[in-house]
Amino acid sequence: MTNAKIDIAELFQAYYDCRKNKRNTANALAFEMNYESKLLSLCEEINNGIYTPGRAIAFIVKKPVKREIFAADFRDRVVHHFLINKLNPLFEKEFIYDSYSCRTDKGTYLGVNRVARFIRQCSRNYQLPCYILKLDIEGFFMHIDKTILFSRLRSFINQKYTEPDKELIIELCRKVIFNNPTENCKVKGNKSDWNDLPVTKSLFHSPVNCGLPIGNLTSQIFANFYFNSFDHYIKHELQIRYYGRYVDDFVIVHNDKEYLKSLIPKIKNYLEFKLRLTLHPKKIYLQHYTKGVKYLGVVIKPHRIYIANRTKGNFYKTITLWNKVICEKKILNAEEQNSFLSSINSYLGIMKHCKTYKLRKKILFKNLSVYFWNYVYISGGYSKLVLKIKPNL
């Protein structure tokens, strides 16, 4: 190992980035006390090669779908942000335009509109036959092969990364990737929360040396990197023009239905032999564009994009749960206020990109408890809620 060290200023920047959306959590608040000395200590650990990831918290979330989350310790999240700050500019040069997840100025809104555009262009403004093939991976995050990921990432860094701390960056990536968060994790909630979670969606059942924890920034970005070779295979080897991907949910649009059918075994073989991944056998969708396609919380049809029924149903359920909370407590603390705001605005953020003004207005006024209007007001044409008074941190 060389004598090159990581720059403490970059670790401080990673800390500031990390705390932006996590400042009210107990973990973040505990770290913020004497954060300068803690960051200096963390920097020394990394530079001396003795840094090891800490204990994670495992829990289940049920919205929008049931998932297992591993929340890393705050100091580990600082390391994750540090790595992504260093590597993401290099990744962005390699990623295709039409991968939308966890990328600046991209996301679900771009993904939905790009697929709608693909359909419109492929069908020559809905005048020609056009078909949609939608696929995803069975237990994607839980089956990412860590050995393949790290091998490719190490080669990538050796080729593209030119700063003197290269070896430390590679070593940090190794520790983050091969860390097993299921060991010595703290389970939040009840173990029964896992009862009806498919084994393909849990790290506790992942094959040896497989699986990245949902909840870590590095998992999201490294997953994009892991899938990048497949993106290039589709775009450049198979020369598919109309292709878009959000995490492991991807869409191909083409005039020829039989051609799309012929792609399925090719895709299946590439994923199995190159990435050790399996196409979800129950999530292969191939239909004429007039049937519409469910994608990223909406239904894309000719001339219009609808909000999906599941998204509406989940929004109603979320409001019902929050109504129960405020009716029991009457007063929300700062963390609860921000959690409520984040929860509601996430749905409004999805819905505002469809023609849902009347629906958003109806849901908020007819379903949201009147107690909440003591805390929030409506902004942007029912597109978001804003706190009236910022709670004390």
Side-chain angles (χ1 to χ4, degrees):
M1 184 174 287
T2 67
N3 293 323
K5 308 292 185 183
I6 69 166
D7 188 341
I8 184 61
E10 292 178 313
L11 205 59
F12 269 82
Q13 183 59 54
Y15 164 70
Y16 296 135
D17 293 340
C18 186
R19 78 178 188 180
K20 280 179 184 176
N21 299 316
K22 299 289 184 181
R23 203 167 185 181
N24 294 323
T25 65
N27 207 328
L29 290 170
F31 191 93
E32 192 159 354
M33 296 176 63
N34 301 316
Y35 73 92
E36 292 179 340
S37 63
K38 290 174 182 176
L39 287 173
L40 288 169
S41 176
L42 179 59
C43 188
E44 288 180 8
E45 288 182 32
I46 293 171
N47 286 329
N48 293 329
I50 60 173
Y51 163 77
T52 55
R55 190 182 188 191
I57 299 174
F59 56 95
I60 295 292
V61 296
K62 296 182 179 180
K63 306 297 179 191
V65 295
K66 192 166 188 176
R67 284 195 179 96
E68 172 189 84
I69 303 293
F70 281 86
D73 188 71
F74 189 83
R75 75 196 298 267
D76 295 326
R77 294 204 292 270
V78 172
V79 173
H80 299 165
H81 277 266
F82 170 76
L83 283 175
I84 298 308
N85 286 348
K86 300 284 275 187
L87 296 177
N88 219 26
L90 301 176
F91 288 155
E92 283 296 323
K93 293 178 182 179
E94 299 295 315
F95 292 163
I96 67 169
Y97 182 84
D98 284 295
S99 69
Y100 316 114
S101 175
C102 292
R103 298 179 65 189
T104 303
D105 298 325
K106 298 202 174 184
T108 57
Y109 177 55
L110 178 67
V112 166
N113 280 279
R114 287 287 289 177
V115 170
R117 182 181 176 183
F118 293 161
I119 296 167
R120 191 171 62 252
Q121 289 180 335
C122 186
S123 66
R124 298 293 188 270
N125 204 26
Y126 315 119
Q127 299 300 310
L128 296 178
C130 172
Y131 297 87
I132 304 161
L133 175 65
K134 185 164 78 81
L135 306 165
D136 75 7
I137 307 301
E138 188 170 25
F140 174 53
F141 279 98
M142 310 309 154
H143 290 84
I144 290 175
D145 190 302
K146 295 182 179 183
T147 303
I148 294 175
L149 171 60
F150 179 66
S151 175
R152 293 186 178 187
L153 186 56
R154 180 175 55 194
S155 297
F156 176 82
I157 294 171
N158 279 324
Q159 291 173 18
K160 304 291 184 179
Y161 189 84
T162 58
E163 295 184 36
D165 59 358
K166 177 187 291 187
E167 291 187 27
L168 277 173
I169 296 299
I170 291 174
E171 179 61 14
L172 274 181
C173 287
R174 185 190 67 79
K175 288 181 176 179
V176 169
I177 289 170
F178 285 101
N179 175 55
N180 184 357
T182 65
E183 295 177 354
N184 193 37
C185 68
K186 179 182 178 181
V187 175
K188 182 179 177 181
N190 299 315
K191 290 186 177 180
S192 60
D193 293 341
W194 274 258
N195 285 350
D196 57 347
L197 184 73
V199 294
T200 57
K201 293 187 176 183
S202 174
L203 279 182
F204 291 105
H205 301 283
S206 289
V208 176
N209 273 338
C210 287
L212 298 181
I214 297 175
N216 289 353
L217 176 64
T218 45
S219 297
Q220 312 299 318
I221 306 300
F222 287 168
N224 266 350
F225 175 79
Y226 191 75
F227 226 100
N228 185 55
S229 65
F230 176 79
D231 293 336
H232 285 276
Y233 169 72
I234 292 290
K235 293 293 292 182
H236 301 125
E237 240 182 278
L238 298 182
Q239 297 187 331
I240 304 296
R241 180 179 180 184
Y242 301 119
Y243 164 80
R245 177 179 65 83
Y246 188 93
V247 191
D248 64 326
D249 194 357
F250 53 98
V251 171
I252 299 172
V253 180
H254 199 273
N255 296 114
D256 189 340
K257 185 176 183 179
E258 293 305 314
Y259 175 72
L260 289 176
K261 284 183 181 179
S262 74
L263 290 179
I264 296 173
K266 293 179 182 179
I267 290 171
K268 184 174 182 290
N269 288 338
Y270 184 95
L271 291 170
E272 288 181 355
F273 290 107
K274 297 291 186 180
L275 299 178
R276 303 289 190 268
L277 297 172
T278 304
L279 274 182
H280 200 302
K282 295 181 180 179
K283 294 186 178 180
I284 298 174
Y285 177 90
L286 177 57
Q287 289 287 353
H288 194 271
Y289 75 92
T290 55
K291 301 289 186 182
V293 59
K294 289 183 181 179
Y295 190 58
L296 305 181
V298 303
V299 179
I300 303 170
K301 285 193 171 185
H303 305 291
R304 186 161 182 182
I305 298 172
Y306 298 84
I307 198 73
N309 287 333
R310 188 175 76 177
T311 305
K312 286 189 287 186
N314 286 340
F315 193 17
Y316 281 116
K317 289 177 184 177
T318 298
I319 287 179
T320 299
L321 289 173
W322 276 110
N323 285 345
K324 183 178 179 182
V325 170
I326 202 166
C327 286
E328 290 176 352
K329 301 187 69 172
K330 298 297 188 294
I331 298 175
L332 300 180
N333 61 35
E335 186 173 347
E336 289 167 336
Q337 289 178 45
N338 281 288
S339 180
F340 163 75
L341 202 69
S342 176
S343 179
I344 300 301
N345 282 343
S346 66
Y347 285 102
L348 293 175
I350 294 170
M351 296 175 71
K352 73 179 181 181
H353 297 301
C354 302
K355 293 181 180 179
T356 58
Y357 176 86
K358 291 182 179 179
L359 177 62
R360 282 177 274 142
K361 182 177 180 180
K362 175 184 174 183
I363 290 175
L364 291 177
F365 277 113
K366 288 195 174 183
N367 295 277
L368 195 62
S369 170
V370 293
Y371 290 113
F372 282 112
W373 303 118
N374 295 322
Y375 295 97
V376 299
Y377 63 90
I378 296 166
S379 177
Y382 299 93
S383 64
K384 68 176 180 177
L385 299 181
V386 180
L387 288 174
K388 290 181 177 178
I389 301 174
K390 193 172 182 179
N392 294 326
L393 301 179

